[in-house]
Amino acid sequence: MSKTDLLLDVRNLKMHFPVKGSFLSKTQNYIYAVDGVDFSISRGETMGLVGESGCGKSTTARAIAQLYKPTGGEVYLKGKDLIKASAGELMEARKNMQMVFQDPYASLNPRMTSGDIIAEPIRIFQKRGLVDMGKDAMNERVEQLMERVGLSRFFKNRYPHEFSGGQRQRIGIARALALQPELILCDEPVSALDVSIQSQILNLFKDLQQEFGLTYLFIAHDLAVIKYISDRVAVMYLGLIVEISGAKDLYKKPLHPYTQALLSAAPIPDPKVEAQRRRIILTGDVPSPDKQRPGCYFYDRCSKRMDHCKTQRPRLKETEDGHQVACFLYHDPE
Amino acid sequence: MTNEVILQVKDLKTYFTVDEGLVKAVDGVSFDLHKGETLGIVGESGSGKSVTNLSVINLIPTPPGKIAGGQVLFHGKDLLAMPQAEIRQIRGNKISMIFQDPMTSLNPFLKVSTQMIETIVLHQGLDKDAAKQKAIEMLKLAGIPAPEKRIDQYPHQFSGGMRQRVMIAMSLSCNPEILIADEPTSALDVTIQAQILEIMQELTKRLGTAVILITHSLGVVAGTCDTLCVMYAGRIVERGPTDVIFEDPKHPYTKGLIRSVPRLDVENSERLYSIQGQPPNVIDLPDCCPFYPRCEKAMDICKKKYPAIANFEQGRAVSCWLYSGAKDE
Ligand SMILES: Nc1ncnc2c1ncn2[C@@H]1O[C@H](COP(=O)(O)OP(=O)(O)OP(=O)(O)O)[C@@H](O)[C@H]1O
Ligand SMILES: Nc1ncnc2c1ncn2[C@@H]1O[C@H](COP(=O)(O)OP(=O)(O)OP(=O)(O)O)[C@@H](O)[C@H]1O
Ligand SMILES: [Mg+2]
Ligand SMILES: [Mg+2]
């Protein structure tokens, strides 16, 4: 993979949220939602991001989109660091980077028609003189987008509540495509959908990628969904990435004990397979990201922990071609 | 699982009257539950899974709801015809429930100990001290560390997964014959889901409890259920032993559903199958097969009449004109 193929390059990204300390205490407490994340995505690639609730997936996507001002790190989109970018440069970058959200109910304005929702990004950029499109062209574009995502153009004047969950997600996808971005950050876009609708939308994402050469960061907590959609997968735990690898490799040969546990916990829709499986049952719950730890963040729940895992933090390191893991089972502490 | 049938649901119909019309949420559902059996009910959102089970324990809000027909025989006695006082003796005792959100059934203002002891004293006639001992023992079985300390905490002091374990402990503390679990793990992470399902299976096996497990996850069903009912638009379209249904699904909806889920354990480079269209709105459904607009195998008769049930060996039943034979038109 040559450097020129890189569309997004995230380095040591940190997002710490200040929270109120206890009453009367003077110290400022933080939630270390994302605490030093590194990964990159090539043009046309789908990077899956998995992990349990609260591990920082959404925060990572939002910090990349600059919906939050990151606490630290660099986010290069086509070589330009968005964190240091001027307001004008950021606006230009936003045109090239859109988001699709989990909850199609909450992310669409209930008082706007589906046509207006899809056209909104174009209108916003038009106001700032960054897009030039006549009324007819805009209309035409909205209708094309609707048909492309599988909605009849005759539904243009309907409001979100008149659509089903799957249809609303299609509206959200059409809106994200309106400005012809290269990168789409998808935050659990199929998690709220029924099985039969989920597979329709997953296939739509795949088709659109082929047709428009899109690049995705695709967040889900369902490992099978991630496997289906992704070329490469990053596994997150407590604000950190613990493993990155090609999707097939990760499932065949998970390295990090957390990835192994996560994979073994995921149910497989086949009674014969389920009857043969041995699960690694993790004890305890995911700890809260309210403090930074000197050692490995998975230490408390790890069945293979060693003494030095408690005192030193393993960094993400390459083991084999493209497979990266942050675990002392695979490399020695510095 | 034994041959003794403890619960028989017969042609259950539950309707809701809403402004837009009549919602036939459950429309002719039948199944048997055996002692110690784990029965799964799967189906998409709105297919009538929760309403089926609320009807079983006679907890349908009336109005807007109404049980329009059928019987629910618990050891031969119809729960739907029973006076409320009598069914209250059964609910939470012989038949207990767990819901998706444990906070809907836990009182946030009362310590866990108070809630558990109250139930045990009420249903089992133990004194307070003995009830507390029993409660602690159940929490321990459900995997709550240091239960003798944690029992005096309030629900909000537990994490989501722990609360669900508290609910399991609570609902099994009266040795119920039937546990109805409505999406007990849907709000939880996979690693916690695996913990909870394992604890639930282990405990119910040990106590000989039969379970009705409602879920939309085919994976969860595959790993836990002896028998399976697949619901679509208020009806059971296919029913039978779980392994047989997965091996050889007969109804086109069941077939499509199984093929629509991406799998972790196979190299799926090819495209995922999709059932076209959307689940129907169950308001004023016509009296024909509700799946026909989405069905690849739809025939003329499917638009005219609801298919009769075709029975197969091993207790399988399928509701589809492909099998019920279009001949008796
Ligand atoms: N605005 C905020 N202020 C304070 N804490 C926050 C904020 N947003 C997120 N957090 C915390 O940061 C952590 C990571 O949250 P995030 O939403 O990124 O997780 P996630 O991986 O997307 O989880 P989920 O799967 O539940 O969506 C959580 O502990 C969360 O409570
Ligand atoms: N109190 C109510 N008033 C009116 N309609 C209701 C009521 N409760 C349920 N319904 C309707 O009955 C149908 C079946 O609902 P039910 O809750 O059983 O679905 P479900 O299969 O459990 O779905 P989910 O997977 O979303 O929980 C739905 O169309 C629902 O809107
Ligand atoms: Mg999230
Ligand atoms: Mg339900």
Side-chain angles (χ1 to χ4, degrees):
Chain A
M1 180 170 46
S2 74
K3 282 273 181 243
T4 53
D5 281 329
L6 279 190
L7 185 67
L8 181 74
D9 192 9
V10 177
R11 294 195 199 155
N12 203 19
L13 182 65
K14 288 183 183 165
M15 188 67 229
H16 301 165
F17 294 108
V19 287
K20 277 216 183 69
S22 59
F23 186 57
L24 288 182
S25 103
K26 292 230 165 58
T27 55
Q28 175 68 60
N29 293 335
Y30 289 94
I31 294 286
Y32 300 91
V34 175
D35 202 19
V37 151
D38 294 276
F39 67 90
S40 55
I41 314 181
S42 308
R43 203 176 298 267
E45 185 184 41
T46 300
M47 171 68 111
L49 189 57
V50 278
E52 292 174 278
S53 185
C55 70
K57 304 180 295 294
S58 299
T59 305
T60 301
R62 288 165 169 270
I64 291 171
Q66 307 300 305
L67 296 177
Y68 297 141
K69 183 97 199 107
T71 314
E74 290 130 75
V75 174
Y76 294 97
L77 182 69
K78 295 172 98 174
K80 180 153 273 166
D81 186 359
L82 301 183
I83 299 179
K84 297 204 182 72
S86 68
E89 287 170 327
L90 197 56
M91 205 60 198
E92 192 61 42
R94 286 223 164 101
K95 215 176 113 191
N96 207 12
M97 174 174 65
Q98 293 287 315
M99 273 192 91
V100 177
F101 299 94
Q102 163 168 8
D103 190 349
Y105 300 78
S107 62
L108 305 179
N109 184 340
R111 281 178 293 275
M112 282 169 74
T113 63
S114 60
D116 284 339
I117 290 171
I118 296 167
E120 195 190 20
I122 307 177
R123 291 217 174 89
I124 291 173
F125 280 82
Q126 195 150 35
K127 258 191 214 136
R128 298 194 155 88
L130 293 163
V131 172
D132 185 23
M133 200 184 270
K135 211 174 168 191
D136 289 344
M138 177 134 60
N139 241 330
E140 177 62 27
R141 169 116 213 140
V142 166
E143 291 183 357
Q144 269 173 6
L145 283 166
M146 289 188 78
E147 308 242 296
R148 185 59 203 86
V149 298
L151 293 167
S152 159
R153 59 174 71 198
F154 301 112
F155 291 174
K156 204 168 55 177
N157 296 320
R158 292 198 186 174
Y159 290 88
H161 74 266
E162 297 173 83
F163 292 94
S164 70
Q167 288 175 322
R168 278 180 250 214
Q169 200 52 286
R170 291 176 197 272
I171 297 173
I173 295 169
R175 174 179 61 184
L177 292 172
L179 291 163
Q180 298 177 285
E182 287 177 271
L183 176 65
I184 302 190
L185 308 168
C186 312
D187 190 359
E188 310 244 16
V190 298
S191 306
L193 304 177
D194 272 319
V195 173
S196 76
I197 308 301
Q198 170 178 292
S199 84
Q200 294 174 358
I201 300 291
L202 285 174
N203 285 336
L204 177 64
F205 272 111
K206 281 205 158 184
D207 294 343
L208 293 170
Q209 178 165 47
Q210 283 237 312
E211 196 171 323
F212 303 114
L214 296 170
T215 305
Y216 296 136
L217 176 69
F218 199 101
I219 297 174
H221 57 261
D222 183 327
L223 287 142
V225 163
I226 282 288
K227 181 183 182 203
Y228 178 65
I229 199 89
S230 313
D231 300 305
R232 285 193 304 140
V233 180
V235 182
M236 259 187 113
Y237 187 78
L238 217 54
L240 296 171
I241 289 180
V242 297
E243 184 162 0
I244 302 181
S245 105
K248 276 188 187 148
D249 248 18
L250 188 81
Y251 290 91
K252 263 199 228 120
K253 212 173 41 171
L255 296 180
H256 199 284
Y258 177 63
T259 314
Q260 292 168 355
L262 204 58
L263 284 172
S264 97
I268 288 177
D270 187 339
K272 274 197 296 212
V273 176
E274 280 289 316
Q276 309 276 320
R277 281 179 97 200
R278 279 199 34 236
R279 289 225 146 79
I280 306 167
I281 299 278
L282 283 181
T283 52
D285 298 302
V286 184
S288 158
D290 57 359
K291 58 171 187 270
Q292 285 172 309
R293 294 160 170 77
C296 173
Y297 280 28
F298 188 56
Y299 180 82
D300 295 328
R301 299 172 85 194
C302 185
S303 57
K304 297 181 179 151
R305 64 185 171 208
M306 299 168 284
D307 285 345
H308 53 272
C309 302
K310 191 173 182 147
T311 50
Q312 289 177 69
R313 200 207 274 191
R315 306 282 160 186
L316 200 58
K317 280 195 179 157
E318 196 146 327
T319 54
E320 283 155 46
D321 196 30
H323 206 139
Q324 291 168 279
V325 62
C327 176
F328 290 139
L329 290 173
Y330 306 96
H331 51 81
D332 294 328
E334 271 109 60
Chain B
M1 174 174 159
T2 63
N3 286 327
E4 186 193 337
V5 175
I6 52 175
L7 185 82
Q8 263 184 307
V9 176
K10 287 185 163 174
D11 203 24
L12 179 68
K13 292 182 179 163
T14 308
Y15 300 164
F16 291 91
T17 313
V18 296
D19 293 345
E20 295 81 16
L22 187 64
V23 177
K24 295 186 174 179
V26 172
D27 199 19
V29 158
S30 307
F31 61 85
D32 290 351
L33 181 71
H34 301 83
K35 188 171 165 34
E37 173 181 10
T38 298
L39 175 125
I41 301 185
V42 285
E44 295 181 270
S45 189
S47 58
K49 305 182 294 294
S50 298
V51 171
T52 299
N53 285 281
L54 287 175
S55 308
V56 163
I57 48 174
N58 211 339
L59 271 183
I60 291 296
T62 318
K66 185 173 158 243
I67 296 192
Q71 288 181 305
V72 176
L73 304 176
F74 179 56
H75 292 295
K77 277 190 91 174
D78 190 358
L79 298 180
L80 303 181
M82 225 175 239
Q84 279 297 326
E86 199 175 333
I87 195 161
R88 246 178 259 128
Q89 286 298 313
I90 293 175
R91 225 187 274 141
N93 184 23
K94 297 249 169 60
I95 304 180
S96 64
M97 295 146 285
I98 314 177
F99 297 100
Q100 173 168 352
D101 179 5
M103 285 315 263
T104 56
S105 12
L106 286 169
N107 184 332
F109 302 111
L110 294 179
K111 289 177 186 166
V112 166
S113 52
T114 316
Q115 305 188 45
M116 287 187 80
I117 291 167
E118 197 174 279
T119 320
I120 296 172
V121 168
L122 178 72
H123 289 304
Q124 303 224 303
L126 297 179
D127 69 38
K128 269 194 154 169
D129 285 341
K132 183 159 187 177
Q133 277 319 306
K134 169 101 193 184
I136 290 172
E137 182 196 324
M138 288 311 296
L139 288 173
K140 191 171 189 173
L141 286 175
I144 302 281
E148 57 294 332
K149 289 205 196 89
R150 308 244 19 188
I151 193 168
D152 286 318
Q153 294 187 329
Y154 291 89
H156 70 86
Q157 292 172 290
F158 292 85
S159 71
M162 289 237 250
R163 260 181 236 145
Q164 203 55 293
R165 270 175 267 169
V166 169
M167 270 315 297
I168 291 176
M170 223 152 129
S171 57
L172 294 178
S173 60
C174 293
N175 297 340
E177 288 182 58
I178 302 174
L179 173 68
I180 298 178
D182 192 344
E183 310 263 11
T185 58
S186 305
L188 305 172
D189 280 314
V190 279
T191 60
I192 311 295
Q193 167 170 288
Q195 288 174 10
I196 300 288
L197 290 177
E198 182 160 290
I199 285 164
M200 219 170 84
Q201 275 182 292
E202 202 183 287
L203 278 184
T204 53
K205 197 170 280 170
R206 181 175 335 177
L207 304 170
T209 319
V211 181
I212 301 180
L213 179 66
I214 304 177
T215 173
H216 58 263
S217 163
L218 289 176
V220 167
V221 164
T224 50
C225 298
D226 305 305
T227 24
L228 180 59
C229 296
V230 182
M231 283 194 80
Y232 191 81
R235 315 227 195 183
I236 292 177
V237 295
E238 180 154 8
R239 195 178 69 205
T242 308
D243 46 352
V244 184
I245 292 187
F246 273 88
E247 176 86 38
D248 173 31
K250 293 209 183 292
H251 197 287
Y253 177 64
T254 317
K255 276 188 193 167
L257 209 55
I258 291 173
R259 286 172 64 204
S260 299
V261 224
R263 284 180 62 154
L264 269 184
D265 60 328
V266 290
E267 282 309 330
N268 44 359
S269 34
E270 82 266 29
R271 204 178 159 78
L272 201 58
Y273 179 81
S274 295
I275 302 174
Q276 54 172 349
Q278 303 157 42
N281 192 339
V282 287
I283 296 174
D284 295 329
L285 269 183
D287 212 15
C288 64
C289 176
F291 187 60
Y292 93 82
R294 308 177 75 188
C295 184
E296 283 180 351
K297 299 254 168 71
M299 304 171 289
D300 257 357
I301 176 100
C302 308
K303 304 172 203 173
K304 292 185 188 138
K305 271 166 90 177
Y306 195 84
I309 290 173
N311 289 295
F312 294 84
E313 67 288 0
Q314 295 181 283
R316 290 189 78 180
V318 183
S319 184
C320 172
W321 281 118
L322 288 174
Y323 308 98
S324 14
K327 45 195 174 296
D328 53 347
E329 190 180 351

Coordinates of all heavy atoms in Angstrom, one line a residue, chain A residues 52-59 62 102 187-188 219 221, ligand 3:
Chain A
E52 N -17.0 -3.2 22.4 CA -18.2 -3.2 23.2 C -18.7 -1.8 23.5 O -17.9 -0.8 23.3 CB -18.0 -4.0 24.5 CG -17.8 -5.4 24.3 CD -17.4 -6.2 25.5 OE1 -16.2 -6.2 25.9 OE2 -18.3 -6.7 26.2
S53 N -19.9 -1.7 24.0 CA -20.5 -0.4 24.3 C -19.6 0.4 25.2 O -19.0 -0.1 26.2 CB -21.8 -0.6 25.0 OG -22.4 0.6 25.2
G54 N -19.4 1.7 24.8 CA -18.6 2.6 25.6 C -17.1 2.5 25.4 O -16.3 3.2 26.0
C55 N -16.6 1.7 24.4 CA -15.2 1.6 24.2 C -14.6 2.8 23.4 O -13.4 2.9 23.2 CB -14.8 0.3 23.5 SG -15.4 0.2 21.8
G56 N -15.5 3.6 22.8 CA -15.1 4.9 22.2 C -15.2 4.9 20.7 O -14.6 5.7 20.0
K57 N -16.0 4.0 20.1 CA -16.2 3.9 18.7 C -16.8 5.2 18.1 O -16.3 5.8 17.2 CB -17.1 2.7 18.3 CG -16.6 1.4 18.8 CD -17.5 0.3 18.4 CE -18.9 0.3 18.9 NZ -18.9 0.1 20.4
S58 N -17.9 5.6 18.7 CA -18.6 6.8 18.2 C -17.7 8.0 18.4 O -17.7 8.9 17.5 CB -19.9 7.0 18.9 OG -20.8 6.0 18.7
T59 N -17.1 8.1 19.5 CA -16.2 9.2 19.8 C -15.1 9.3 18.8 O -14.8 10.4 18.3 CB -15.7 9.1 21.3 OG1 -16.8 9.0 22.2 CG2 -14.9 10.4 21.6
R62 N -16.6 10.7 15.6 CA -17.0 12.2 15.8 C -15.7 13.1 15.9 O -15.7 14.2 15.4 CB -17.8 12.3 17.0 CG -19.2 11.8 16.8 CD -20.0 11.6 18.1 NE -21.4 11.4 17.8 CZ -22.3 12.3 17.6 NH1 -22.0 13.6 17.8 NH2 -23.5 12.0 17.3
Q102 N -26.6 5.7 13.6 CA -27.4 4.5 13.9 C -28.9 4.7 13.9 O -29.6 4.0 13.3 CB -27.0 4.1 15.3 CG -28.0 3.1 15.9 CD -27.5 2.4 17.2 OE1 -26.4 2.8 17.7 NE2 -28.2 1.5 17.7
D187 N -21.7 5.2 11.6 CA -21.7 4.9 13.0 C -22.9 4.0 13.3 O -24.1 4.4 13.5 CB -21.8 6.1 13.9 CG -21.6 5.8 15.4 OD1 -21.4 4.6 15.7 OD2 -21.6 6.7 16.2
E188 N -22.7 2.7 13.3 CA -23.8 1.7 13.5 C -25.0 1.9 12.6 O -26.1 1.9 13.1 CB -24.2 1.7 15.0 CG -23.1 1.7 16.0 CD -23.1 0.4 16.9 OE1 -23.7 -0.6 16.6 OE2 -22.3 0.5 17.9
I219 N -18.7 1.4 11.7 CA -18.8 1.0 13.1 C -19.9 0.0 13.3 O -21.0 0.3 12.8 CB -18.9 2.2 14.0 CG1 -17.7 3.1 13.9 CG2 -19.1 1.8 15.4 CD1 -17.8 4.4 14.6
H221 N -21.3 -3.3 16.4 CA -20.8 -4.1 17.4 C -21.1 -5.6 17.1 O -20.6 -6.5 17.8 CB -21.5 -3.7 18.8 CG -23.0 -3.8 18.7 ND1 -23.7 -2.6 18.6 CD2 -23.8 -4.8 18.8 CE1 -25.0 -2.9 18.5 NE2 -25.1 -4.3 18.6
Ligands
MG3 MG -21.6 4.4 19.6

